Amino acid sequence: MSTGTTTAPPGAPARLPSRLVGSIAFGTLLQALNSSMIAVALVGIRTDFHAGADASWLVSALYLATAVGAPTMGRLADLIGPRRVFLAGLLLVAVASVAAPFAPTLGVLIGCRVLLGLGTAAQYPAGIAMVRMAAARGAPPGAGATGRAPRGVRAASALGILSVCSQTAVAFGPTLGGALVGGFGWQSIFLVNLPFVAIGAVCVGRWGPAGTPRATHRPAGAAALRRLDPAGLALFAATMTALMLFLLSLASAPRWWLLPVVLALGAALVGHELRAAEPFLDVRLLGRNRALTGTYLRTALTYVAFYAIFYGVPSWLEQGRGLSAAGAGLVVLPIAGLGVFMTLVATRLVRTRGPRLPLLFGSLGLLVGGVVLATVVHAATPVLALLAVSAVLGLPNGFNNMGNQTSMYAAAPADATGAASGLYRTSQYVGANLAAALIELLSAGVAPDTGLHRLGVAVAGIAAVLLLGSLRRRR
């Protein structure tokens, strides 16, 4: 029976319209930009609101909201359609971006960042779900009639484009934020979201695939809410919030009482989801699908190492090497810059060899980088040599990102791609907060060089575990 869509010729890889992939990528820039631009605005915000350490919640609030919001938005994308969720997320971003510059208190501004986190949490899982839907529906009408492969972007290349855009935004977010804050004040880092929102909404609204992964069954209203499993969602949100608060506290004053709270909430979540007819978090699937569960664990570990480098090295450059903030930023630029370039290489490798080889290269490169930090770098290391070290540290990023992202995409069920992509985002933020705690643990009370060398040993240890897992991983 005809479904009203066409498919690519037999044996030809599905290709996606470039304008669709570009539209999705444009929307996913928002999360990376808003995560990185805030770093250069904190001083001005502290001054205007006469705030101290409480201003750091502007960073933590976004991470918390995204960690909880990403799988929620992904699940909604699977139920009511990814294009709707993508556009709804852009609307939340627009509301938060307009309200934030007029916030009367720091608490209201933090609330705007929470809303911003929920909005930006929608773009990645909904975008990945749209990529899978478009790939499943095949080529545009008439493409298969000639027998030639349809023009456009392969699904693997689409994942690479999303990864490149995200890394580019992270790399240049502080630079863009610095220019905006210097010229127009901290309020401008919120208002700059509006052109991205407008362009993304118009493009995705026009070219994004309509419907749901199961086009014949799209619940609405109360039916969609029941299928979302609100009790499971509430337990998941409570568990993740307690976990993230505990991880964030490890960097300063550990709140150990949160640990039993996390365990109790987690046990309640698992118990409820095992009984639910349509669980928010399908724990049975995670138990059966070891490839998907393993990808989440590997991603969390990878991001512990990545953020340990991304945050730890600039701090050492200022405290141990004596560079200015601007100088430190220039020295670490190759970490993000090489990551962008290697993503392009990894994308081609994934298309021809699958994700295993990129993961091997990424783990090996991370191991070499950790050993270099632990043994070679010290306070007297010349700046040119530090630039070379940054390049070494940047090489594995593209391989690891593409390998993990492609593994998740391949292992996720077709009708649950949104939820699976949301949990992938959550695993990244868990890794980021573990990295913050790790940096504080290894650097507290010791000389800067000693702290950096300890960090290198930790990164090398994590990389060795990742390398062993990649070697044992089946193609």
Side-chain angles (χ1 to χ4, degrees):
M1 182 174 65
S2 174
T3 61
T5 59
T6 61
T7 57
R15 290 177 180 263
L16 314 175
S18 300
R19 60 193 182 187
L20 168 63
V21 177
S23 301
I24 295 171
F26 200 80
T28 58
L29 287 173
L30 288 166
Q31 199 284 322
L33 280 175
N34 283 278
S35 293
S36 56
M37 286 193 300
I38 191 67
V40 295
L42 288 175
V43 173
I45 292 173
R46 284 193 179 102
T47 300
D48 281 4
F49 289 101
H50 306 287
D54 288 344
S56 63
W57 275 103
L58 292 167
V59 178
S60 303
L62 186 81
Y63 283 165
L64 275 169
T66 307
V68 173
T72 305
M73 295 297 186
R75 175 70 171 149
L76 281 172
D78 295 331
L79 287 176
I80 65 174
R83 186 174 71 174
R84 285 182 168 187
V85 172
F86 195 99
L87 294 174
L90 291 178
L91 178 60
L92 290 178
V93 172
V95 171
S97 299
V98 170
F102 304 100
T105 65
L106 180 64
V108 173
L109 187 60
I110 291 172
C112 291
R113 286 282 289 181
V114 170
L115 190 62
L116 192 63
L118 292 174
T120 58
Q123 275 73 63
Y124 180 79
I128 295 293
M130 281 193 284
V131 166
R132 169 151 274 173
M133 282 179 60
R137 293 177 181 182
T146 63
R148 296 192 298 269
R151 299 175 66 182
V153 179
R154 291 186 180 96
S157 299
L159 298 180
I161 291 170
L162 297 184
S163 183
V164 166
C165 288
S166 177
Q167 290 191 63
T168 302
V170 169
F172 296 103
T175 303
L176 173 62
L180 289 171
V181 171
F184 307 100
W186 61 263
Q187 294 85 350
S188 59
I189 70 165
F190 294 97
L191 296 175
V192 75
N193 290 322
L194 297 177
F196 288 91
V197 168
I199 295 172
V202 169
C203 293
V204 171
R206 182 175 181 182
W207 295 310
T212 64
R214 294 179 179 176
T216 59
H217 189 79
R218 184 173 67 189
L225 181 60
R226 286 193 299 270
R227 289 194 60 188
L228 183 60
D229 181 19
L233 168 58
L235 284 170
F236 176 82
T239 303
M240 288 308 306
T241 300
L243 174 61
M244 298 288 280
L245 288 172
F246 172 69
L247 294 177
L248 289 168
S249 74
L250 291 177
S252 53
R255 299 173 181 173
W256 295 109
W257 61 269
L258 280 170
L259 195 53
V261 173
V262 172
L263 296 176
L265 288 171
L269 171 65
V270 171
H272 172 80
E273 300 297 61
L274 287 173
R275 296 189 302 270
E278 289 192 73
F280 171 79
L281 180 66
D282 195 340
V283 293
R284 287 193 178 92
L285 171 65
L286 293 176
R288 293 192 308 268
N289 194 335
R290 290 185 294 175
L292 185 60
T293 305
T295 297
Y296 293 147
L297 294 175
R298 185 171 60 244
T299 300
L301 272 179
T302 302
Y303 272 77
V304 173
F306 170 74
Y307 278 107
I309 293 170
F310 198 71
Y311 293 144
V313 171
S315 177
W316 173 83
L317 286 170
E318 293 185 54
Q319 297 177 5
R321 186 60 178 76
L323 298 181
S324 64
L330 290 174
V331 169
V332 299
L333 190 59
I335 295 178
L338 265 292
V340 172
F341 176 75
M342 298 312 325
T343 299
L344 301 175
V345 177
T347 300
R348 184 175 182 84
L349 198 58
V350 163
R351 285 205 310 263
T352 57
R353 302 293 297 274
R356 183 172 184 266
L357 202 55
L359 289 173
L360 283 171
F361 288 162
S363 302
L364 185 60
L366 202 57
L367 178 61
V368 172
V371 171
V372 168
L373 286 180
T375 59
V376 174
V377 180
H378 51 81
T381 302
V383 170
L384 288 178
L386 292 175
L387 286 169
V389 170
S390 289
V392 171
L393 295 173
L395 289 174
N397 294 338
F399 291 111
N400 284 324
N401 286 338
M402 272 305 297
N404 286 326
Q405 187 173 236
T406 306
S407 295
M408 180 276 298
Y409 183 87
D415 60 350
T417 302
S421 302
L423 286 174
Y424 177 76
R425 277 289 202 217
T426 298
S427 67
Q428 293 176 346
Y429 288 113
V430 170
N433 283 290
L434 280 172
L438 182 67
I439 293 171
E440 181 68 22
L441 179 66
L442 297 177
S443 60
V446 299
D449 279 7
T450 303
L452 181 70
H453 296 160
R454 289 180 176 179
L455 192 66
V457 171
V459 169
I462 293 171
V465 173
L466 294 171
L467 182 60
L468 181 61
S470 300
L471 289 170
R472 297 182 62 183
R473 185 181 189 276
R474 293 180 179 179
R475 181 176 174 82

